[in-house]
Amino acid sequence: MKTIEIPVNVYERILKTLQEGLDVCYNVDYASDDTEKSASYATGYSRATIQEVIKELNNYKTIKN
C-alpha cells in the first residue's frame, strides 16, 4: 500500500481549517443581518477552506512506498 506522510501539525491544521469552515456553514442564519452569518459569506468561506486544504495536501503529494 502506498502512503503519504503528513506531519502531525499539518494534519491538525487541516482538521482545524475544515472544522472552522463547517462551523461557518452551520452558523448561517437567513433571518440575520450579520454578514458573517449570511449564506454568501459561508459560501466564500467554504471555498477558501477547500482551497487551503487542497494546497496543504498538494504540498505533501510525494508518495512513499
Side-chain angles (χ1 to χ4, degrees):
M1 173 192 280
K2 295 179 180 181
T3 62
I4 296 174
E5 292 184 27
I6 301 174
V8 172
N9 65 322
V10 173
Y11 172 80
E12 290 171 349
R13 187 170 56 240
I14 289 171
L15 284 180
K16 182 180 181 222
T17 299
L18 290 170
Q19 184 61 58
E20 289 171 350
L22 186 60
D23 292 345
V24 168
C25 290
Y26 278 130
N27 287 325
V28 170
D29 181 355
Y30 294 99
S32 176
D33 291 331
D34 184 353
T35 301
E36 292 187 8
K37 292 186 178 185
S38 70
S40 57
Y41 179 85
T43 300
Y45 198 100
S46 297
R47 184 180 302 122
T49 297
I50 293 166
Q51 289 172 334
E52 181 63 26
V53 169
I54 289 170
K55 178 182 155 194
E56 287 281 358
L57 291 175
N58 276 328
N59 286 336
Y60 293 92
K61 201 172 184 178
T62 304
I63 297 175
K64 305 286 182 182
N65 290 320

